[in-house]
Amino acid sequence: MNGAQERPLRADAARNRARLLDAATEVFTTRGIATPTEEIARAAGVGVGTLFRHFPTKEALLEAVMVRRLEEIATTTAQLAADAERPDGDSGDGSDGSGNGGAFFAAFRVVVDRSAGKDEFTRALAAAGVDAHAALHASGTAIREHLARLLAAAQRAGAVRREVGLAELFALLVGTTTAVEQLQDDPAARERVFTVVFDGLRPH
Amino acid sequence: MNGAQERPLRADAARNRARLLDAATEVFTTRGIATPTEEIARAAGVGVGTLFRHFPTKEALLEAVMVRRLEEIATTTAQLAADAERPDGDSGDGSDGSGNGGAFFAAFRVVVDRSAGKDEFTRALAAAGVDAHAALHASGTAIREHLARLLAAAQRAGAVRREVGLAELFALLVGTTTAVEQLQDDPAARERVFTVVFDGLRPH
Amino acid sequence: MNGAQERPLRADAARNRARLLDAATEVFTTRGIATPTEEIARAAGVGVGTLFRHFPTKEALLEAVMVRRLEEIATTTAQLAADAERPDGDSGDGSDGSGNGGAFFAAFRVVVDRSAGKDEFTRALAAAGVDAHAALHASGTAIREHLARLLAAAQRAGAVRREVGLAELFALLVGTTTAVEQLQDDPAARERVFTVVFDGLRPH
Amino acid sequence: MNGAQERPLRADAARNRARLLDAATEVFTTRGIATPTEEIARAAGVGVGTLFRHFPTKEALLEAVMVRRLEEIATTTAQLAADAERPDGDSGDGSDGSGNGGAFFAAFRVVVDRSAGKDEFTRALAAAGVDAHAALHASGTAIREHLARLLAAAQRAGAVRREVGLAELFALLVGTTTAVEQLQDDPAARERVFTVVFDGLRPH
DNA sequence: GATGAATGAGACTTCATTCAT
DNA sequence: CATGAATGAAGTCTCATTCAT
């Protein structure tokens, strides 16, 4: 959709952009998305003007933070998806009667772990009238694709029930993230949440 | 220290308070919690002053809305918990093809259905520095108690795996709510989410 | 100017009026004139409505408080003025070369002592666009008259310099009040202020 | 803890700060301290935001206005105090018909003239819970010191009674200011007030 | 006649965004 | 290109006054 507007970007400008993104990620996560723009500029060690040169809107900054997170996650899921599709993908001999879908469940965990705090951004964007799904299409679909492939592979291997579709997989991903966020101080309970969800995903 | 502050409340005052709460619930849910206070007053058909007489702070209003929701939910879960504990509680003779724990799963659905939008409030309050858990203790524990009883009954009846504790039940409740919110336009997928979670909760 | 509008006032109404005046005097003095009207009503043990029935405006209440204070002062100065005019007025045989004007200086002290905090009211009224002098004419002139008589007597007796007029006497009264208010914790210094002003008033 | 916070201040910022201070002095004095903040911003030709960038609180603005006034007064009194201490300080050989202590009385007049309206600020700050004395210590003590030196010099020269201390000098300064403010339209009476106070201060 | 809930103008302050330096 | 001061719309809350109970 937008493939021609990425200019090389001067060295210092690129450095500032990165700093801003880091600072924003940190600040939004710890102090909430209502934190004043100026705070973020300060945390990044630049002036507000610079911030607005890079991100014409606070919303745009929010979006960029989210995109970067998703891109990072996408990198990991891509790796896992690739592994899962190798001849002897997943793991073991495939004779495992329960199937196993190791890569699929590993990816599920990665997404959940990396998404901590993410849905606050989604909500914020939604509240701001942005269609997050559309805005994040570019990198969002990368994950979507990888997950689709992982899901298909896991279903083929009999590790995941056939009726589960991509839509509810996404919903479950988000939901599990939220659930897990509530249990930050209770790792055992956290683990039991994964157990429930994963068992629920297996064929019955 | 505060034993005499709950006065009967004049008729009109009570009516306005209720209107305010209704309007706030409606407006916060549809237009987001960032909606100006004045909007809510207008929606309730009163002046801002009245709003602030009843709820000295926007945060206090948010809290009151949440408390009321929880109270409503508590009423329903209380009923279900009571049913589940009757001699022949739950679904009777076990011949019930769907297995038992019916009251438990029914309560789970009720809480999820009634909680739509609720966790946005929780977040908002948290961001505002309010300890929602503390603030909501009174009615919060009512639900907590009912759910604890339902959970125990369901586990006794063999409908829910023994290792599941109250903490993760709550987390799953919140997580499922979030998941389901993402699927408002796809009832079938919504249903499949419930299937996954419920199956995951059953003994394996 | 308004001699026909004073109705007898029912017993309880009169009691409420008095209570309000007392409470207002107390509250305005201790917490400042910016104190909400409601506070005063509460201090008086009545509802705001009652307050506004008696005093149609906050300003009117302020004014009434001031008037009452002045009336109290007027009562005292009237007594002193009367004393000063008796044949053998003032004191002693009149042969006192320095004159003495005891009543005059006594009145000066009384006014100053009784006026503590008063000028905040004057300022407040002035700021509110009220011509305090006009508003307070009724009882204000009572004091004015008594002081004029005392001043004249003291000048006749040679106790006060002839060139001093009523205008600067008033200004000095207010000024000395202010000065003395600054020295509440230093009675000796307070006394020295009186010494300076009184000596300055004597013929030179 | 705060050693680096006084930055040079950009040219335009400094200009705006000065304008704001001028406008505030003017507006507070003529229209009272209850004047809306926005009015002051308008009078200074800047937006409200600018005002609040410079003075984070209305109270802070009030304080700054007061500090600046005191600083101006301090400059003048410093000059007078220095003059009074030169070998042949004050008025020289004593042949000066007006007697001596000239610098002292000149300073007294300067402070009074420059203080018009000042104590309204003091009151406002006090009402707002600010310890004006503490807040104004820096420049406040400058004046205090100069006046102490002037007082000592005048007493040494026999122009002022020995028993007068700094405390009552201050009280008289404030009191005379108040007195004089009442007589704005009657310069002759104003002058007589000075005569009374000054004569009262001379040895008796 | 008393009460206190309701009203709403207006106060103070914040913050995303623009623009002179 | 970076900076941070300026902007002003908008938000939350207060309080004198009115009016239903």
Side-chain angles (χ1 to χ4, degrees), chain A residues 61-103:
Chain A
L61 175 58
L62 237 16
E63 203 177 294
V65 168
M66 206 167 156
V67 167
R68 203 179 57 161
R69 286 201 165 198
L70 288 177
E71 277 169 352
E72 287 168 9
I73 297 173
T75 306
T76 310
T77 52
Q79 181 64 43
L80 290 165
D83 288 357
E85 281 170 343
R86 275 182 319 198
D88 185 45
D90 220 334
S91 80
D93 51 72
S95 69
D96 180 349
S98 70
N100 90 22

Side-chain angles (χ1 to χ4, degrees), chain C residues 48-67:
Chain C
V48 245
T50 303
L51 188 159
F52 277 89
R53 169 170 293 276
H54 285 287
F55 308 97
T57 281
K58 190 185 194 179
E59 197 183 283
L61 175 58
L62 238 15
E63 203 178 295
V65 168
M66 208 167 155
V67 167

Side-chain angles (χ1 to χ4, degrees), chain C residues 161 168 175 192 195-196 199-200, chain D residues 161 168 175 192 195-196 199:
Chain C
R161 23 166 83 181
E168 56 269 37
R192 285 195 292 272
T195 304
V196 166
D199 281 352
Chain D
R161 23 167 83 181
E168 53 272 33
R192 287 196 291 272
T195 304
V196 167
D199 281 351

Side-chain angles (χ1 to χ4, degrees), chain C residues 39-154:
Chain C
E39 209 83 330
I40 294 170
R42 179 160 42 250
V46 304
V48 245
T50 303
L51 188 159
F52 277 89
R53 169 170 293 276
H54 285 287
F55 308 97
T57 281
K58 190 185 194 179
E59 197 183 283
L61 175 58
L62 238 15
E63 203 178 295
V65 168
M66 208 167 155
V67 167
R68 202 180 56 162
R69 286 200 165 197
L70 289 177
E71 276 169 354
E72 287 168 9
I73 297 174
T75 306
T76 310
T77 52
Q79 183 61 44
L80 289 165
D83 288 356
E85 280 171 343
R86 275 182 318 196
D88 185 44
D90 222 333
S91 80
D93 51 72
S95 68
D96 181 350
S98 70
N100 89 21
F104 172 82
F105 292 114
F108 196 108
R109 284 191 107 107
V110 166
V111 173
V112 168
D113 290 341
R114 295 298 247 306
S115 299
K118 175 187 62 94
D119 63 324
E120 183 173 15
F121 293 125
T122 312
R123 271 170 213 289
L125 291 174
V130 175
D131 184 348
H133 283 276
L136 299 167
H137 224 245
S139 65
T141 25
I143 303 183
R144 193 178 289 264
E145 257 169 41
H146 307 150
L147 286 176
R149 272 158 50 198
L150 285 163
L151 176 61

Side-chain angles (χ1 to χ4, degrees), chain A residues 6-171:
Chain A
E6 314 264 311
R7 268 180 289 159
L9 214 54
R10 253 171 46 180
D12 56 345
R15 189 170 55 249
N16 277 342
R17 202 191 129 89
R19 270 190 198 165
L20 280 164
L21 239 24
D22 287 344
T25 304
E26 164 72 13
V27 173
F28 282 146
T29 308
T30 55
R31 307 203 20 205
I33 56 181
T35 314
T37 320
E38 195 142 2
E39 209 83 330
I40 294 170
R42 181 163 37 252
V46 304
V48 244
T50 304
L51 189 159
F52 276 89
R53 169 170 293 277
H54 284 287
F55 307 97
T57 280
K58 189 185 194 180
E59 197 184 281
L61 175 58
L62 237 16
E63 203 177 294
V65 168
M66 206 167 156
V67 167
R68 203 179 57 161
R69 286 201 165 198
L70 288 177
E71 277 169 352
E72 287 168 9
I73 297 173
T75 306
T76 310
T77 52
Q79 181 64 43
L80 290 165
D83 288 357
E85 281 170 343
R86 275 182 319 198
D88 185 45
D90 220 334
S91 80
D93 51 72
S95 69
D96 180 349
S98 70
N100 90 22
F104 172 82
F105 292 113
F108 197 108
R109 286 191 105 107
V110 166
V111 174
V112 169
D113 290 341
R114 295 297 247 306
S115 300
K118 175 187 62 91
D119 63 323
E120 183 173 13
F121 294 125
T122 313
R123 270 170 212 289
L125 291 175
V130 175
D131 184 347
H133 283 277
L136 299 167
H137 224 243
S139 67
T141 26
I143 304 183
R144 192 177 290 263
E145 258 170 40
H146 307 150
L147 287 176
R149 273 157 49 199
L150 285 163
L151 176 61
Q155 288 176 326
R156 241 180 288 121
V160 169
R161 24 166 83 180
R162 291 264 132 129
E163 74 260 41
V164 170
L166 204 48
E168 54 268 36
L169 175 57
F170 261 76

Side-chain angles (χ1 to χ4, degrees), chain D:
Chain D
M1 206 183 222
N2 54 7
Q5 66 188 8
E6 308 270 308
R7 267 182 288 165
L9 210 57
R10 231 168 64 181
D12 55 347
R15 187 172 56 249
N16 279 337
R17 203 191 130 91
R19 272 190 197 165
L20 247 1
L21 238 25
D22 288 343
T25 305
E26 165 72 11
V27 173
F28 281 147
T29 310
T30 54
R31 305 200 22 200
I33 56 180
T35 315
T37 314
E38 197 143 359
E39 209 81 332
I40 295 173
R42 181 161 36 249
V46 304
V48 241
T50 302
L51 190 160
F52 277 90
R53 167 174 281 271
H54 286 286
F55 308 98
T57 282
K58 191 185 193 181
E59 197 183 284
L61 176 58
L62 241 13
E63 200 177 300
V65 168
M66 206 168 155
V67 167
R68 202 180 58 159
R69 284 197 166 200
L70 287 177
E71 276 169 355
E72 287 168 9
I73 298 174
T75 305
T76 310
T77 52
Q79 182 63 44
L80 290 165
D83 289 355
E85 279 171 344
R86 276 182 317 195
D88 185 45
D90 218 338
S91 58
D93 54 67
S95 67
D96 182 347
S98 70
N100 38 30
F104 172 83
F105 291 114
F108 196 109
R109 285 191 106 105
V110 166
V111 174
V112 168
D113 289 341
R114 294 298 243 314
S115 299
K118 174 185 67 87
D119 63 322
E120 183 173 13
F121 292 126
T122 312
R123 268 169 218 288
L125 290 174
V130 174
D131 185 347
H133 283 277
L136 300 167
H137 224 244
S139 64
T141 27
I143 304 183
R144 194 177 289 264
E145 253 172 46
H146 305 150
L147 286 176
R149 274 160 48 201
L150 285 164
L151 176 61
Q155 289 176 325
R156 239 180 290 120
V160 169
R161 23 167 83 181
R162 291 263 132 131
E163 74 259 40
V164 170
L166 204 49
E168 53 272 33
L169 174 57
F170 261 76
L172 280 167
L173 241 11
V174 175
T176 308
T177 301
T178 308
V180 149
E181 276 175 349
Q182 317 263 104
L183 298 170
Q184 282 172 329
D185 333 320
D186 189 347
R190 220 180 104 106
E191 215 43 50
R192 287 196 291 272
V193 165
F194 277 119
T195 304
V196 167
V197 176
F198 287 0
D199 281 351
L201 281 166
R202 286 191 227 278
H204 278 76

